[in-house]
Amino acid sequence: QVLAQFNRLKLIATRSTGFDHIDADYCRENNIAICNVPTYGNHTVAEHVFGLLLTISHHLVDAIDRTRRGDFSLKGLTGFDLRSKTLGVIGTGDIGICVIRIARGFGMHIAAYDTRPREELAAEYGFRYLGLDELLAAADVVTLHIPANKKTHHFISRDEFAKMKDGVVLINTARGSVVDIQALVRAISEGKVR
């Protein structure tokens, strides 16, 4: 409805990697080009993944809140180190590869899944590609770096959560629609996901 209001529109440029917020079918039918920025925020998003992961692994929100209240109790704040944990990276595009490079610095074991494996990068950065089920079963942390489209809608749902370790950490800096939110709420309430 919004696009139909522009009679002479020829190009939409979005300052993002994803363009699922643009009606691509309408654009195709009306000869409107769509431009995105495939490498937008690669390092920023990858660093954010580890900001989120460290926040979870070291209970930083709770620790900061307690400290602000003058409570210096350590009870319930025992976290876990990232070293020697298995990071499952789903999607090894530019952002996924940046995440892998950072994970190496933390001493993590890295497994990846992608519909188009990049074996030369696996050899260069010392990670291995696994099937999706094998990755979900092995990973202590799963991080998502896939586009939102019809094939990836609810890519992580009840069946996938069932294959994960209890207490797995799920980091989604991709689009919200790649995770079935109802299944996620259930997995959190059951202790499957931290």
Side-chain angles (χ1 to χ4, degrees), residues 1-73:
Q1 292 172 335
V2 172
L3 294 175
Q5 296 178 41
F6 297 95
N7 297 331
R8 298 181 306 190
L9 184 62
K10 299 292 178 201
L11 171 70
I12 297 171
T14 181
R15 191 179 68 184
S16 62
T17 300
F19 53 90
D20 55 296
H21 57 288
I22 299 170
D23 187 340
D25 292 335
Y26 178 90
C27 289
R28 240 184 320 279
E29 293 165 8
N30 291 280
N31 295 318
I32 301 168
I34 302 171
C35 296
N36 66 333
V37 186
T39 58
Y40 181 78
N42 291 351
H43 298 283
T44 303
V45 173
E47 289 175 14
H48 186 60
V49 166
F50 282 90
L52 294 169
L53 182 51
L54 289 167
T55 298
I56 292 168
S57 68
H58 294 290
H59 302 283
L60 292 179
V61 173
D62 289 340
I64 290 167
D65 286 346
R66 284 185 193 181
T67 302
R68 286 185 176 145
R69 292 189 318 263
D71 176 359
F72 299 99
S73 165

Side-chain angles (χ1 to χ4, degrees), residues 40-164:
Y40 181 78
N42 291 351
H43 298 283
T44 303
V45 173
E47 289 175 14
H48 186 60
V49 166
F50 282 90
L52 294 169
L53 182 51
L54 289 167
T55 298
I56 292 168
S57 68
H58 294 290
H59 302 283
L60 292 179
V61 173
D62 289 340
I64 290 167
D65 286 346
R66 284 185 193 181
T67 302
R68 286 185 176 145
R69 292 189 318 263
D71 176 359
F72 299 99
S73 165
L74 298 177
K75 186 174 180 168
L77 294 180
T78 302
F80 62 91
D81 292 340
L82 300 184
R83 183 173 184 72
S84 298
K85 295 291 189 239
T86 298
L87 177 69
V89 179
I90 298 179
T92 55
D94 293 332
I95 294 171
I97 293 299
C98 283
V99 166
I100 288 168
R101 286 199 304 256
I102 293 170
R104 290 181 61 207
F106 280 98
M108 299 183 84
H109 303 291
I110 304 158
Y113 169 80
D114 201 300
T115 55
R116 287 177 263 171
R118 299 164 72 184
E119 294 296 346
E120 73 285 357
L121 292 177
E124 181 178 349
Y125 293 118
F127 68 93
R128 60 196 163 104
Y129 280 101
L130 300 176
L132 181 60
D133 290 351
E134 190 179 0
L135 179 143
L136 294 174
D140 300 298
V141 178
V142 175
T143 181
L144 303 175
H145 304 286
I146 54 178
N149 56 42
K150 291 174 185 171
K151 290 181 181 176
T152 62
H153 184 78
H154 291 179
F155 190 82
I156 301 295
S157 193
R158 184 174 40 180
D159 291 343
E160 288 72 30
F161 285 121
K163 295 170 186 170
M164 295 179 189

